Amino acid sequence: MTERSWGGTKLADRRAARRQTLLDTAERLAGEEGCAAVTVRSVCRQARLTDRYFYESFAGRDDLLLAAFERVADEARSALEKAVALSDPQLEVRARAAVSAFVALVLDAPHKGRLLLLEPFADPVLGAHSHRLMPVFTDLVGGQLTGTGDDIDRRMAAHALVGGLASLFAGWLHGTLDVPRERLEAHCVHLVLAATTSRA
């Protein structure tokens, strides 16, 4: 059976476009005004969609918020993986590439950075989910810590490094860490290199 179209656009494509619009709106609202600003009504109003279209894609506000958060987290993970895979085998070059990729995501698009790093502290739903996603990033970082003792040392170093870097970026985004962006990047690279070359 051929799928019906409207104005040359198939139903599935229109639904996907509406879902994308809702996610974009929730991401922007949460990152600019905080998760408290994300409600079914506010998102529908800004996306110019009715709640009927909202519920065709999401079960409720928390479902939408988690989907927006996961999208940014996936974007961060993909950026880091790509930077490490495509960069020079030299350790310092890989570290700079990974830091630059993450900085480009969370600082050049600060609403994404705030959603990923700040809002989990304000919203319990995001907070719980953020903890569940942590192993994705610690495993990725741990795989680069080839000079850090045994597997236990590497796992602990990866957790410390991910937590420390997240705190630095969060402080910069929140305005409590007032340093030039170049100094922030350089310090993050220094931390990565120190963790990579240290041994327990």
Side-chain angles (χ1 to χ4, degrees):
M1 182 177 178
T2 303
E3 185 180 359
R4 293 181 61 189
S5 63
W6 182 267
T9 306
K10 292 182 178 179
L11 176 60
D13 292 335
R14 295 200 304 276
R15 284 178 174 170
R18 287 193 291 266
R19 187 178 191 277
Q20 180 77 20
T21 298
L22 290 167
L23 280 170
D24 291 344
T25 303
E27 179 185 295
R28 181 179 52 77
L29 272 175
E32 293 179 355
E33 301 180 31
C35 287
V38 179
T39 65
V40 174
R41 178 177 294 180
S42 67
V43 170
C44 287
R45 183 176 64 250
Q46 295 209 18
R48 298 188 177 183
L49 294 170
T50 66
D51 57 0
R52 168 197 164 195
Y53 291 128
F54 180 98
Y55 288 111
E56 78 177 359
S57 293
F58 301 101
R61 176 260 188 192
D62 288 351
D63 189 30
L64 169 65
L65 193 57
L66 283 174
F69 177 81
E70 285 182 344
R71 189 174 69 165
V72 175
D74 284 344
E75 194 175 342
R77 175 188 53 76
S78 295
L80 289 172
E81 289 178 342
K82 183 177 179 181
V84 170
L86 295 180
S87 60
D88 190 279
Q90 187 178 351
L91 175 60
E92 185 172 349
V93 176
R94 289 205 315 274
R96 291 188 183 283
V99 169
S100 294
F102 196 77
V103 166
L105 176 70
V106 302
L107 301 190
D108 289 342
H111 69 284
K112 292 183 179 182
R114 283 191 281 269
L115 175 56
L116 184 65
L117 299 173
L118 297 182
E119 287 308 305
F121 291 101
D123 187 274
V125 173
L126 286 191
H129 197 65
S130 177
H131 284 294
R132 290 194 292 271
L133 282 179
M134 181 66 75
V136 172
F137 292 95
T138 55
D139 289 348
L140 178 60
V141 170
Q144 305 299 314
L145 303 183
T146 55
T148 312
D150 60 16
D151 183 60
I152 293 176
D153 289 330
R154 282 191 293 273
R155 292 196 338 249
M156 290 192 295
H159 275 269
L161 188 55
V162 169
L165 292 174
S167 181
L168 281 170
F169 286 119
W172 199 91
L173 288 165
H174 198 266
T176 55
L177 182 62
D178 185 15
V179 298
R181 174 171 168 160
E182 295 75 15
R183 290 289 300 274
L184 177 65
E185 277 198 58
H187 188 71
C188 289
V189 171
H190 171 75
L191 290 178
V192 173
L193 293 175
T196 304
T197 56
S198 66
R199 288 185 179 273

